[in-house]
Amino acid sequence: MVITFSYVIFIDEGELYTYLHHDIVGNIINIIAVQALLFFIFHLSFKRMKKQQLYYEQLQQSERLKMVGQLTAAVAHEIRNPITVVRGFLQLFKEDTSFDNTKKSKFNLMIDELNTVEQIISQFLTLSKPNGDQRLEKVDVKDVLQSVAGLLHSYAMLSDNQIDIKVEEDCFISINKIEFKQLLINIIKNALEASEVGKSVSVTANRNNNFIEIMITDEGSGMSEAEVKSLGTPFYSLKSNGTGLGLMICFNIVEKYDGEIYYNSSKGKGTTVTIRFLSESGGIYND
């Protein structure tokens, strides 16, 4: 516009563009108004397109969740049957006087883990029938992290990996303990699988204003921006035998308790997962 009107005023001087030269100010205002109107129309159209794209993505996600819910509901009964049989035999062995207390404690541990499996199956079923009445508990993040590290210690040793935990004292959140444990097991297990042989997975937890931040860092090969964006999508997995359902459940758990989860990763530099929950002082729980 500056070049055009400079030419009309100083060079053309009304010879070819007489209609512009007679009312320079009016024509400048007119062109600016047209440009502003075009920008306004473009801005509204762009916002509408973004909303439609978001709606389409949410619709796709809803369809995927519906399909996953139907699948889990179909197989849950078949999974629970063998679990019930195994638990029954373990309870029988626990009552057998021929076993010493050390072995009986191991039976108790196995029974507890089978109970956890049943709870996890129930969480899969919440994809098709969400449970809005889940009881909240006052959970010590340090205790749960230490428990998860103990469960995954043997798994980490298979690849000569280690889990390094550093947690501040008095880190409490309001959440269902089993779901929180399931969340951490999935994320830390993924970090172990992504790490190179002999490397460590760092797990830290601390207070940040009114939030508790948990950070899980691995020393793996990292992910591209497109791969990070696709995380949590049903049936999307970077593992050769993965389904993507575990991470999807993790995202749902975090969202269910109004938390936040972020992935910071780049190729060749590993991955850091940050999980944030409101601290216990800002929530409500049931003992």
Side-chain angles (χ1 to χ4, degrees):
M1 288 178 62
V2 171
I3 294 173
T4 299
F5 281 97
S6 296
Y7 174 81
V8 170
I9 295 171
F10 301 109
I11 299 177
D12 179 72
E13 295 183 348
E15 291 184 6
L16 296 177
Y17 302 99
T18 305
Y19 62 94
L20 291 178
H21 195 272
H22 283 324
D23 189 6
I24 293 293
V25 175
N27 281 292
I28 290 176
I29 294 173
N30 182 53
I31 291 179
I32 291 175
V34 170
Q35 296 295 323
L37 181 62
L38 290 175
F39 174 79
F40 182 70
I41 293 173
F42 171 80
H43 181 67
L44 289 180
S45 300
F46 181 75
K47 286 183 65 177
R48 185 176 180 83
M49 289 172 60
K50 293 294 290 184
K51 287 181 179 179
Q52 288 179 335
Q53 181 182 2
L54 180 61
Y55 173 76
Y56 178 70
E57 291 176 354
Q58 290 175 341
L59 184 62
Q60 284 186 317
Q61 181 75 354
S62 177
E63 289 297 323
R64 294 191 190 104
L65 291 175
K66 181 179 178 181
M67 180 173 58
V68 172
Q70 292 172 345
L71 288 173
T72 53
V75 301
H77 179 70
E78 300 302 324
I79 294 176
R80 279 174 168 162
N81 281 342
I83 289 176
T84 302
V85 174
V86 174
R87 185 196 290 109
F89 277 106
L90 288 174
Q91 290 173 338
L92 184 63
F93 293 151
K94 188 179 69 171
E95 301 298 328
D96 194 334
T97 56
S98 62
F99 293 105
D100 57 29
N101 290 332
T102 302
K103 291 183 178 179
K104 287 183 178 181
S105 65
K106 293 179 180 178
F107 291 145
N108 286 329
L109 177 60
M110 287 186 280
I111 291 171
D112 289 340
E113 291 307 308
L114 286 176
N115 291 333
T116 300
V117 170
E118 283 213 344
Q119 290 289 337
I120 292 173
I121 293 173
S122 298
Q123 293 308 314
F124 273 96
L125 291 176
T126 61
L127 294 174
S128 57
K129 187 178 179 181
N131 180 10
D133 299 325
Q134 186 69 272
R135 287 171 59 88
L136 301 183
E137 308 170 50
K138 180 181 179 181
V139 174
D140 188 336
V141 174
K142 184 175 183 179
D143 287 346
V144 176
L145 281 173
Q146 289 176 341
S147 174
V148 170
L151 288 173
L152 294 177
H153 176 72
S154 298
Y155 184 79
M157 293 301 295
L158 293 175
S159 300
D160 196 25
N161 298 124
Q162 292 182 346
I163 304 174
D164 297 330
I165 296 180
K166 185 177 180 181
V167 186
E168 286 186 4
E169 297 293 336
D170 299 326
C171 285
F172 294 95
I173 59 176
S174 297
I175 197 170
N176 179 268
K177 190 172 184 178
I178 292 177
E179 288 184 324
F180 183 51
K181 188 175 180 181
Q182 178 188 358
L183 166 67
L184 294 176
I185 288 175
N186 275 305
I187 299 296
I188 296 176
K189 185 172 177 286
N190 286 344
L192 289 170
E193 292 173 348
S195 297
E196 298 178 0
V197 176
K199 297 295 185 178
S200 297
V201 170
S202 172
V203 182
T204 63
N206 53 67
R207 284 182 171 271
N208 186 357
N209 296 325
N210 293 327
F211 294 91
I212 302 298
E213 285 189 348
I214 304 167
M215 301 178 68
I216 298 101
T217 304
D218 66 58
E219 299 181 46
S221 57
M223 296 177 287
S224 66
E225 185 177 346
E227 289 171 337
V228 170
K229 188 177 179 181
S230 298
L231 294 176
T233 302
F235 307 115
Y236 176 83
S237 177
L238 299 175
K239 306 174 189 176
S240 58
N241 59 343
T243 64
L245 297 180
L247 197 55
M248 182 186 66
I249 294 295
C250 292
F251 275 69
N252 286 348
I253 291 173
V254 172
E255 182 181 0
K256 178 178 179 180
Y257 294 102
D258 297 324
E260 297 174 336
I261 181 168
Y262 304 101
Y263 274 78
N264 183 13
S265 183
S266 57
K267 284 291 187 181
K269 295 184 179 180
T271 302
T272 297
V273 185
T274 302
I275 305 170
R276 300 177 73 216
F277 286 108
L278 190 66
S279 63
E280 182 275 328
S281 58
I284 301 173
Y285 65 91
N286 298 319
D287 290 328

